[in-house]
Amino acid sequence: MEPCAVPKNPWKTDCACVSRRGNGIMASWNRYRSRIREAKMFVLVLLVWLLPVLEAVKVSPLIEKVGDHKDFKKLLRTRTNVLVLYTKTATSGDSHLKLLSDVAQTVKGQGTIAWVNCGDSEGRKLCKKVKVDPSSKRGGAELLHYKDGTFHTEYNRPATFKSMVTFLKDPSGPPLWEENPEAKDVIHIETEKDFRKLLKREERPILMMFYAPWCGVCKRMQPIFQQAATETKGKYVLAGMNVHPAEFDGLKQEYNVKGYPTLCYFEKGKFLHHYENYGATAKDIADWMKNPQPPQPKTPEVPWSETDSPVFHLTDESFDSFLEEHPTALVMFYAPWCGHCKKMKPEYDEAAEILNRGADSPGVLAAVDATVHKAVGDRFKISGFPTVKYFEKAEEKYTLPQLRSKDKIIEFMHNPQAPPPPEQSWEEKPSSVSHLGSEDFREALKKKKHALVMFYAPWCPHCKNAVPHFTTAAELFKEDRKIVYAAVDCTKGQNHELCKQEGVEGYPTFNYYNYGKFVEKYNGDRGEAGFTGFMRSLRGRDQEKVVKRKDEL
């Protein structure tokens, strides 16, 4: 067959060869288009498959991805404040990672956030070594906090930006008030803008508590305030606002906030009164809201009259010369605001009336306001009020905490005797309770499966009542190596910081730990039956697990 001649107009030819060639071109074109469609479909499928992975990859560079156990140990060794997210797979922690990316940016330089994917081969080994299994957690993710190179606590606060930032800035600090589910009826205000909006839109009367998170009076009053908010819900608005940060200095000046808490009452956006009953009950607050009245003027503090009192009132300047003139003297160091001092003043005055008169007096009674005359107070290391000291020939001889009544003061002055030795402390008495401090607390508890720890203060009456029962319970379990009853004196040395870290806000506080990990607060009966029953229930659960495993085998 002869080849086709090239037509003059290739678009207008009816040559049979050209027709055959055109059919070939069309077939090639159709194959090309088919491959393009296949390629597009492949890319689409690939994108759909990669989408979760791509989403998971969108992690802030401030979040440290850790897979190797050596790298993990190095991280804990070089950083003091680390929050670690453990995830079951690369994608199971997506929601956490997006939030933590923002948190990491805010706490940069103050805390570190790390991520361990327990689903890949490296991460699986690491998770096994540190005994973490996020698959058992809801959502396949678990957050654990490490402080100063060791495990500190599980993060169990709300997974919100504000809560996480607050936690990382102070991991041992108290949780936010709004995190307490019992405070759900309190309106929690965060910014001055939100505060102004509330005043503008709210028709109901408002009682606003301006507070600071660290304030002890605020902490004691908050449960009462939130109970009042629940009881008056719908009628009134009870709100709270942390105004401690410097950004609220203008607001504090506007509403005369000179201390915490300060409670302000508003009607239709206008400030009317302060509420100053800080010892109120929820009912007191609810009743006051029905008929809000301005606070009554305070009764001025009545000073200890130096002219009418038979007690000699000394100063920094007169102290030494007075003692030289009076060979035997009892001196009361006091503060005008001290309740115990006020109670003791009339007793001290009556004793002085008897002792300071007559030539045969065994000695004189004097007093020093140590808040004014600080030099003499510092000289004798006065740290509490009242402090009573006995002097002979201008030399300090005894400190006498037991002298509070007129009769005891007179009796002592006629027969000065050394005070009885201080009562033996709980720690000094032999018992099966392990007394721990900041230096050995963590290591000691890590070795015990079940530990019930009593955080206490020696002067606390509720603690004193619980001590014999707690001690008896410890004695009953002393042969069990997996159990310990331990105690921490929160007033001693560095223990104050430890108690703060462990969430101690009052005495006594009882915490239960499992191999050094905090599990829950014990709020049961504080008698022997309560302490022993709690531990027996834990041992009973252990036995049930052993039996269950045997049955499975």
Side-chain angles (χ1 to χ4, degrees):
M1 184 179 293
E2 294 182 8
C4 294
V6 177
K8 294 179 181 179
N9 186 348
W11 305 107
K12 294 182 179 180
T13 179
D14 55 0
C15 174
C17 304
V18 173
S19 178
R20 288 195 301 276
R21 184 177 296 164
N23 288 339
I25 291 170
M26 286 301 294
S28 297
W29 173 247
N30 288 335
R31 284 195 299 274
Y32 173 72
R33 288 176 66 190
S34 176
R35 286 173 184 167
I36 290 292
R37 281 197 299 271
E38 288 173 2
K40 284 182 177 179
M41 184 61 70
F42 174 75
V43 170
L44 183 62
V45 170
L46 186 63
L47 284 173
V48 170
W49 181 75
L50 283 175
L51 188 60
V53 178
L54 291 171
E55 286 293 318
V57 172
K58 291 179 183 178
V59 178
S60 166
L62 293 173
I63 295 181
E64 301 200 22
K65 179 76 167 65
V66 185
D68 183 73
H69 188 244
K70 288 183 180 178
D71 291 340
F72 180 75
K73 289 174 71 177
K74 183 181 177 182
L75 177 72
L76 298 188
R77 192 172 61 249
T78 56
R79 309 291 173 84
T80 58
N81 180 19
V82 185
L83 184 64
V84 182
L85 172 68
Y86 296 90
T87 62
K88 180 183 176 183
T89 65
T91 58
S92 59
D94 281 0
S95 60
H96 280 94
L97 285 168
K98 289 174 185 175
L99 173 61
L100 288 169
S101 296
D102 296 331
V103 173
Q105 183 64 45
T106 305
V107 300
K108 185 179 178 182
Q110 295 174 281
T112 301
I113 297 176
W115 172 34
V116 178
N117 173 16
C118 298
D120 62 31
S121 57
E122 285 288 327
R124 195 176 299 114
K125 293 177 185 175
L126 172 56
C127 294
K128 192 173 180 181
K129 281 191 175 182
V130 296
K131 297 179 181 179
V132 175
D133 181 15
S135 63
S136 62
K137 299 292 181 179
R138 186 179 177 183
E142 184 172 9
L143 280 161
L144 300 181
H145 183 259
Y146 298 82
K147 186 177 180 184
D148 300 325
T150 59
F151 171 76
H152 173 228
T153 185
E154 181 179 356
Y155 181 85
N156 51 18
R157 298 189 193 178
T160 65
F161 175 80
K162 185 180 178 184
S163 292
M164 286 183 162
V165 168
T166 302
F167 173 80
L168 279 168
K169 286 187 175 181
D170 185 9
S172 301
L176 297 169
W177 189 11
E178 54 263 41
E179 293 175 12
N180 184 346
E182 293 182 6
K184 65 183 184 304
D185 295 318
V186 175
I187 294 180
H188 300 278
I189 305 297
E190 293 188 25
T191 66
E192 185 172 343
K193 186 179 179 181
D194 292 339
F195 170 67
R196 304 289 180 195
K197 279 183 181 178
L198 177 68
L199 294 186
K200 190 174 181 181
R201 73 167 187 264
E202 188 54 64
E203 293 293 322
R204 293 169 294 177
I206 300 170
L207 186 61
M208 170 67 70
M209 181 193 284
F210 294 113
Y211 70 95
W214 46 262
C215 158
V217 179
C218 305
K219 290 175 185 176
R220 287 197 298 272
M221 197 168 183
Q222 281 171 356
I224 295 159
F225 193 79
Q226 63 202 29
Q227 185 184 342
T230 300
E231 291 177 4
T232 61
K233 187 178 179 181
K235 295 179 182 178
Y236 312 111
V237 171
L238 271 65
M241 185 176 183
N242 170 19
V243 292
H244 179 60
E247 64 191 272
F248 299 116
D249 284 351
L251 197 66
K252 286 183 276 190
Q253 188 173 358
E254 182 179 351
Y255 294 105
N256 197 29
V257 179
K258 295 181 179 178
Y260 304 116
T262 294
L263 286 87
C264 297
Y265 176 76
F266 298 85
E267 278 187 10
K268 297 182 180 178
K270 291 184 179 180
F271 168 65
L272 296 183
H273 313 303
H274 281 109
Y275 180 78
E276 296 185 351
N277 183 5
Y278 301 114
T281 64
K283 185 178 183 302
D284 291 333
I285 295 173
D287 289 343
W288 186 86
M289 292 293 286
K290 294 173 188 175
N291 183 28
Q293 297 294 320
Q296 297 300 312
K298 291 181 179 178
T299 305
E301 191 76 52
V302 179
W304 197 348
S305 173
E306 297 186 19
T307 54
D308 299 336
S309 170
V311 173
F312 292 97
H313 290 269
L314 309 181
T315 66
D316 284 335
E317 293 74 24
S318 66
F319 189 84
D320 290 330
S321 58
F322 177 84
L323 291 185
E324 287 174 5
E325 294 171 12
H326 299 84
T328 54
L330 195 67
V331 181
M332 173 181 170
F333 297 85
Y334 73 97
W337 43 260
C338 158
H340 293 296
C341 303
K342 292 176 184 177
K343 188 176 179 180
M344 184 176 169
K345 277 179 188 178
E347 298 281 330
Y348 204 67
D349 272 335
E350 288 183 31
E353 183 72 36
I354 296 169
L355 292 169
N356 289 359
R357 66 185 177 205
D360 59 345
S361 171
V364 294
L365 268 59
V368 178
D369 181 348
T371 66
V372 175
H373 306 288
K374 295 181 180 179
V376 71
D378 291 343
R379 182 169 141 203
F380 291 102
K381 298 181 174 59
I382 305 302
S383 57
F385 304 109
T387 294
V388 180
K389 290 182 178 289
Y390 179 68
F391 293 83
E392 276 188 6
K393 297 178 182 179
E395 294 291 330
E396 178 189 350
K397 194 165 184 182
Y398 305 131
T399 298
L400 304 154
Q402 80 279 15
L403 296 189
R404 289 291 184 270
S405 68
K406 176 189 73 173
D407 293 338
K408 284 190 175 181
I409 292 168
I410 294 171
E411 181 185 341
F412 172 82
M413 290 300 287
H414 281 289
N415 184 25
Q417 297 290 325
E423 186 183 347
Q424 194 178 21
S425 70
W426 185 18
E427 193 168 349
E428 292 168 337
K429 295 176 183 176
S431 79
S432 297
V433 175
S434 293
H435 291 273
L436 306 176
S438 56
E439 66 286 346
D440 58 357
F441 180 81
R442 312 245 173 245
E443 287 303 315
L445 295 195
K446 281 179 183 178
K447 299 172 184 176
K448 301 296 181 179
K449 186 171 186 179
H450 304 299
L452 187 60
V453 182
M454 176 177 169
F455 298 89
Y456 73 99
W459 47 260
C460 158
H462 295 298
C463 304
K464 291 177 181 177
N465 290 338
V467 163
H469 305 297
F470 197 77
T471 304
T472 303
E475 189 67 24
L476 290 172
F477 287 92
K478 68 178 180 180
E479 302 299 332
D480 194 323
R481 294 182 179 180
K482 292 184 177 181
I483 289 175
V484 66
Y485 284 79
V488 176
D489 179 355
C490 294
T491 66
K492 190 176 178 182
Q494 298 298 317
N495 292 354
H496 178 72
E497 186 61 31
L498 169 65
C499 295
K500 183 181 173 185
Q501 290 173 8
E502 299 307 308
V504 177
E505 295 178 355
Y507 305 123
T509 291
F510 298 90
N511 286 355
Y512 165 59
Y513 297 84
N514 178 253
Y515 289 121
K517 185 177 179 180
F518 171 77
V519 179
E520 63 179 335
K521 286 193 179 295
Y522 170 81
N523 293 311
D525 178 63
R526 292 179 182 176
E528 179 190 331
F531 295 134
T532 55
F534 175 74
M535 201 60 76
R536 284 194 179 109
S537 68
L538 294 172
R539 298 300 282 135
R541 285 180 222 165
D542 292 345
Q543 293 297 326
E544 288 174 8
K545 288 178 183 177
V546 170
V547 171
K548 187 177 180 181
R549 287 197 197 102
K550 287 181 179 178
D551 290 344
E552 289 172 353
L553 293 172

